Amino acid sequence: MNPMVSEAVDLQSPDDIALADKMNAGRQQIVTELKKIIVGQDDVITQVLNTLFVGGNSLIVGAPGLAKTLLIHTMARVLDLKFSRIQFTPDLMPSDITGTDLVQEDSTTGRRQMVFAPGPIFANIVLADEINRTPPKTQSALLEAMQEHRVTVQGKTYNLAEPFYVFATQNPIELEGTYPLPEAQLDRFMFHIIIEHPPYDEELGVVRTTTAIQNPQLERPISGEDLVSFQRLVRRVPVAEPVMRHALDIVRATRSKNNPDAKDYIQKWVAFGASVRAAQYLVLGAKARALTSGRYHVSFDDIRALAHPVLRHRIITNFHAQSEGVTTDAIVDRLLESVPLPRSGM
């Protein structure tokens, strides 16, 4: 499904408003339940929830011990969704993810036949733990699932149950024995979410909580069916033409090739800019952000607030940027300063 397809509606019907209210109430309840286990990380939780409401996939990067796995597992428990964790290792094969055909004997007839044994990808929330520790051939086994919500094994296609999400984690510290994710796969992640070490008070809370007896009772405020309904509602949020153009202007400004208007710093530091999928996810994420803020339209601030998680993994820097220590986040900062708002703004 094309993420940019939406209906030109105003979301003013009683049913739409009721569903939007349910979405906002559900979001608050999910956060409340997560806080029973997760200390701090408010921005990370917001981006994960945004991923859920859009129906995308996200890459979560952070040092060990920052609750990446715990957050996603707890989210699945709160939503009562089927959870699957795949530990990526150098010897992991594509069939270990998708599943494979096995020869089984029919107990009644005695005849042998091929039976498909589903792999761990057949879940609602899939955690691809340390995804960069397995070779690209196995990493690519996720591509079809992430984009099409289906897998093909031995020429036969199997649909995945909805809702379906992939959350992948990476450890930015240990680089030995890792394989960089192909750009084609990185582009399929809606957000690149960075988890930093928390402030002192939050870290103290983590130590206090995790060294005491924990047995929280988690409520389940919304269901998987609710999430699918929320995703449809998000896609129907209207976006004014100037706002959509601003999202595209930001994305196009990341490109230097065949772009005579490219800024000097883009020409100096960027090898490849973001694809059109970046603009799609900027708009989709902004729609979800608007709804969860109690608004039925998208603002320029919604677009700009998501620029870093949407663009940081889609901008490929060159040798000059790497030698000067220029990060993609720094480039996005420059973009937000230099790309003007349309004059006929909101």
Side-chain angles (χ1 to χ4, degrees):
M1 183 181 294
N2 188 335
M4 289 292 282
V5 173
S6 61
E7 301 173 31
V9 294
D10 293 330
L11 297 186
Q12 293 299 324
S13 72
D15 289 343
D16 289 335
I17 293 174
L19 186 57
D21 290 342
K22 183 176 182 179
M23 178 176 167
N24 274 309
R27 180 191 181 282
Q28 294 299 326
Q29 290 172 313
I30 292 172
V31 172
T32 299
E33 296 305 310
L34 289 175
K35 290 298 184 181
K36 294 179 180 178
I37 296 178
I38 305 296
V39 178
Q41 305 293 1
D42 293 343
D43 289 342
V44 174
I45 290 174
T46 296
Q47 293 177 45
V48 169
L49 286 173
N50 203 324
T51 305
L52 295 177
F53 293 146
V54 166
N57 313 285
S58 284
L59 176 66
I60 304 176
V61 178
L66 294 181
K68 301 184 295 293
T69 302
L70 179 62
L71 171 60
I72 303 305
H73 190 197
T74 304
M75 185 77 70
R77 289 176 57 195
V78 170
L79 297 170
D80 197 22
L81 295 177
K82 183 178 180 182
F83 172 79
S84 178
R85 178 177 178 269
I86 306 173
Q87 182 62 54
F88 279 69
T89 56
D91 60 348
L92 194 71
M93 299 296 293
S95 59
D96 295 329
I97 297 174
T98 61
T100 188
D101 290 327
L102 300 176
V103 177
Q104 291 189 358
E105 183 176 303
D106 191 317
S107 59
T108 57
T109 63
R111 297 179 59 184
R112 294 184 177 183
Q113 57 185 355
M114 299 295 290
V115 177
F116 178 65
I121 197 69
F122 286 83
N124 298 117
I125 294 182
V126 176
L127 177 64
D129 213 359
E130 295 190 282
I131 189 174
N132 57 332
R133 289 201 172 278
T134 201
K137 178 180 179 181
T138 303
Q139 293 173 2
S140 65
L142 286 176
L143 283 179
E144 184 182 14
M146 291 170 60
Q147 185 66 19
E148 306 294 339
H149 291 197
R150 66 187 184 191
V151 294
T152 302
V153 179
Q154 300 292 333
K156 188 173 182 180
T157 299
Y158 301 88
N159 292 323
L160 301 170
E162 297 292 346
F164 174 77
Y165 309 95
V166 172
F167 288 93
T169 69
Q170 281 189 189
N171 174 0
I173 299 176
E174 298 179 11
L175 298 179
E176 185 176 350
T178 62
Y179 304 83
L181 268 66
E183 282 74 15
Q185 182 161 338
L186 277 174
D187 197 38
R188 283 169 170 78
F189 287 107
M190 176 180 176
F191 288 151
H192 177 172
I193 303 172
I194 296 179
I195 298 186
E196 304 281 4
H197 286 285
Y200 184 90
D201 290 342
E202 288 185 8
E203 192 163 359
L204 181 62
V206 170
V207 175
R208 181 182 295 112
T209 301
T210 56
T211 54
I213 296 176
Q214 287 184 289
N215 188 26
Q217 300 300 311
L218 298 177
E219 303 292 333
R220 294 175 172 83
I222 61 176
S223 65
E225 292 182 358
D226 291 330
L227 282 176
V228 174
S229 297
F230 298 158
Q231 291 169 17
R232 293 177 181 145
L233 183 69
V234 165
R235 291 177 180 272
R236 296 176 58 229
V237 174
V239 182
E241 187 73 11
V243 176
M244 189 169 293
R245 287 181 178 275
H246 186 55
L248 187 57
D249 288 344
I250 293 173
V251 172
R252 289 176 64 87
T254 66
R255 306 167 190 161
S256 58
K257 290 188 176 181
N258 301 320
N259 182 8
D261 298 325
K263 302 294 184 182
D264 291 343
Y265 63 90
I266 295 295
Q267 295 179 359
K268 180 180 179 182
W269 292 329
V270 177
F272 296 97
S275 71
V276 66
R277 192 176 277 118
Q280 293 173 331
Y281 279 133
L282 266 180
V283 171
L284 258 183
K287 289 184 176 189
R289 187 177 187 270
L291 268 186
T292 53
S293 300
R295 290 179 282 107
Y296 301 146
H297 67 278
V298 177
S299 70
F300 291 119
D301 287 342
D302 292 323
I303 297 291
R304 298 171 74 84
L306 300 178
H308 285 87
V310 169
L311 293 175
R312 63 166 56 109
H313 58 301
R314 292 184 165 93
I315 296 174
I316 309 302
T317 55
N318 57 23
F319 171 77
H320 296 291
Q322 295 165 14
S323 63
E324 296 176 25
V326 176
T327 65
T328 55
D329 275 352
I331 293 173
V332 175
D333 288 337
R334 293 283 296 271
L335 282 169
L336 294 178
E337 293 173 359
S338 60
V339 177
L341 293 173
R343 292 182 180 179
S344 56
M346 295 175 59

